[in-house]
């Protein structure tokens, strides 16, 4: 073998290894959990929650241990009975309520995966009710992972490991998401807001970017998203605030300034409108060790 051919083959092997390594790193990023929280709730027979009508900030899997719950969207109603499970993707708008029971007991895991090339693993699927056989995997997961999630750091890692194994088990049973097609003007507006949501741009600037009138943009937001441009922008700001509230000890005032709200009061008002909670309550739930912001 000539020296040139040998060097060429060695370079090819090195390049193949580099490609494999890069592909592996991209795959790992795509399946990395950004948010992960397990809860178990006991509610009375009058339980109702409409806080998800503005859209879920995380994907969620519910397992009903006792009673029954009804999940209502703009076009469907799904009843999930005891021993059954349902997956609801990030961004979904719905309300939940108990159905004909004195008490409802349910587990819920909230999660989202890391964004990679604008594709998020859990957002590739549609709302999915599971049959009893698949739901049994949920029962086993929650009963095993919930106590671990309530434990120390090592237990938390074990709880995350259990979730990955569980998600692999139900992956093939998830319904594929049917793509939603927005009008070109609305798509342009959404892209602009996603890039500039921390800025206090005017509707005039948004309309100029989209080459459309302000009234046209308002109409499209109402017709296709059931919201307004300002509400959509605030939703993105509030979503980003979750990271500051759980991963830092920054005050509400500091977070409001970073996200370019006019005041901490406006930040609290927007937070409550979108989440039906407050920044302080959210912080206490998801990171009780951070008590600076009261």
């Amino acid at each position: 073998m000539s020296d040139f051919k040998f060097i060429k083959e060695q370079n090819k092997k090195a390049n193949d290894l580099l490609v494999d390594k890069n592909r592996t790193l991209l795959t790992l990023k795509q399946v990395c959990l950004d948010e992960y929280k397990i809860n178990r709730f006991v509610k009375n027979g009058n339980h109702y929650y409409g806080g998800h009508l503005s859209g879920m900030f995380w994907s969620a899997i519910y397992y009903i241990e006792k009673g029954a719950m009804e999940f209502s969207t703009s076009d469907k109603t799904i009843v999930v009975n005891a021993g059954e499970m349902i997956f609801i993707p990030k961004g979904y708008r719905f309300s939940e309520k108990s159905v004909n029971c004195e008490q409802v007991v349910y587990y819920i895991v909230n999660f989202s995966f890391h964004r990679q090339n604008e594709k998020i693993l859990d957002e590739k699927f549609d709302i999915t009710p599971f049959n009893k056989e698949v739901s049994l995997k949920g029962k086993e997961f929650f009963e095993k992972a919930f106590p671990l999630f309530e434990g120390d750091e090592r237990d938390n890692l074990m709880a995350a490991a259990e979730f990955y194994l569980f998600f692999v088990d139900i992956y093939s049973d998830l319904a594929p998401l049917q793509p939603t097609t927005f009008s070109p003007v609305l798509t342009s507006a959404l892209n602009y807001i996603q890039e500039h949501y921390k800025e206090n741009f005017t509707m005039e600037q948004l309309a100029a970017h989209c080459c459309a009138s302000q009234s046209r943009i308002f109409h499209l937001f109402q017709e296709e998203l059931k919201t307004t441009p300002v509400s959509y922008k605030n939703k993105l700001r509030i979503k980003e605030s979750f990271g500051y509230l759980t991963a830092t000890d920054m005050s509400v005032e500091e977070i409001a300034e970073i996200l370019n709200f006019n005041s901490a009061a406006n930040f609290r008002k927007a937070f409550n409108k979108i989440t039906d909670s407050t920044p302080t309550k959210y912080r206490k739930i998801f990171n009780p060790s951070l008590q600076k912001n009261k």
Side-chain angles (χ1 to χ4, degrees), residues 150-196:
E150 296 282 283
D152 58 21
E153 189 175 71
R154 181 182 180 280
D155 287 342
N156 292 167
L157 289 172
M158 291 296 293
E162 291 295 336
F163 175 78
Y164 280 115
L165 294 173
F166 165 61
F167 196 78
V168 168
D169 264 353
I170 67 170
Y171 185 87
S172 59
D173 296 290
L174 293 167
L177 180 66
Q178 300 302 316
T180 301
T181 303
F182 297 122
S183 62
V185 172
L186 180 58
T187 299
S188 178
L190 292 174
N191 290 338
Y192 183 87
I193 295 174
Q194 288 168 0
E195 292 177 7
H196 303 277

Side-chain angles (χ1 to χ4, degrees), residues 35-280:
E35 288 107 2
Y36 179 51
K37 176 75 174 179
I38 307 176
N39 277 304
R40 181 177 182 268
F41 294 103
V42 178
K43 304 287 186 179
N44 62 35
N46 296 320
H47 169 63
Y48 171 81
Y49 182 64
H52 300 312
L53 293 175
S54 60
M56 285 271 283
F57 288 110
W58 318 270
S59 292
I61 297 175
Y62 290 74
Y63 173 78
I64 311 304
E65 183 179 333
K66 178 182 177 181
M69 288 180 64
E70 179 182 285
F71 298 87
S72 298
T73 70
S74 59
D75 61 346
K76 67 182 74 173
T77 297
I78 301 172
V79 175
V80 183
N81 297 298
E84 295 178 344
M85 184 172 68
I86 187 170
F87 164 79
I88 302 177
K90 185 177 181 179
Y92 223 88
R93 296 189 291 272
F94 70 97
S95 63
E96 63 182 63
K97 70 176 183 178
S98 55
V99 179
N100 300 326
C101 57
E102 294 182 0
Q103 186 183 71
V104 61
V105 182
Y106 61 96
Y107 287 98
I108 177 172
V109 55
N110 296 111
F111 64 96
S112 66
F113 288 99
H114 182 75
R115 179 179 292 274
Q116 182 65 34
N117 296 329
E118 301 305 313
K119 294 179 181 179
I120 302 179
L121 182 59
D122 48 303
E123 292 184 17
K124 295 179 180 179
F125 305 103
D126 205 345
I127 185 169
T128 307
F130 299 96
N131 60 35
K132 292 277 188 180
E133 183 180 354
V134 178
S135 297
L136 183 59
K137 299 174 182 178
K139 178 177 185 293
E140 295 170 350
F141 159 70
F142 282 111
E143 290 181 347
K144 190 171 184 179
F146 179 64
L148 291 171
F149 195 84
E150 296 282 283
D152 58 21
E153 189 175 71
R154 181 182 180 280
D155 287 342
N156 292 167
L157 289 172
M158 291 296 293
E162 291 295 336
F163 175 78
Y164 280 115
L165 294 173
F166 165 61
F167 196 78
V168 168
D169 264 353
I170 67 170
Y171 185 87
S172 59
D173 296 290
L174 293 167
L177 180 66
Q178 300 302 316
T180 301
T181 303
F182 297 122
S183 62
V185 172
L186 180 58
T187 299
S188 178
L190 292 174
N191 290 338
Y192 183 87
I193 295 174
Q194 288 168 0
E195 292 177 7
H196 303 277
Y197 65 90
K198 289 185 183 179
E199 303 171 18
N200 288 325
F201 57 84
T202 65
M203 278 302 302
E204 185 178 2
Q205 289 173 309
L206 178 61
H209 172 81
C210 300
C211 300
S213 67
Q214 297 181 43
S215 60
R216 174 64 175 162
I217 292 175
F218 271 114
H219 174 75
L220 291 173
F221 267 85
Q222 290 286 356
E223 181 180 356
E224 300 186 39
L225 291 177
K226 312 301 181 190
T227 188
T228 67
V230 172
S231 294
Y232 184 79
K233 178 179 71 173
N234 282 340
K235 182 178 177 181
L236 295 178
R237 288 179 172 181
I238 297 304
K239 174 63 172 66
E240 180 158 341
S241 76
F242 294 160
Y244 292 113
L245 290 168
T246 58
T248 77
D249 63 353
M250 295 173 63
S251 68
V252 164
E253 289 73 19
E254 290 170 326
I255 297 172
E257 184 176 356
I258 286 178
L259 297 178
N260 213 4
F261 281 95
N262 292 332
S263 66
N266 284 339
F267 171 48
R268 289 189 178 96
K269 183 178 179 181
F271 196 100
N272 180 262
K273 182 178 180 180
I274 291 171
T275 69
D276 197 29
S277 184
T278 68
T280 300

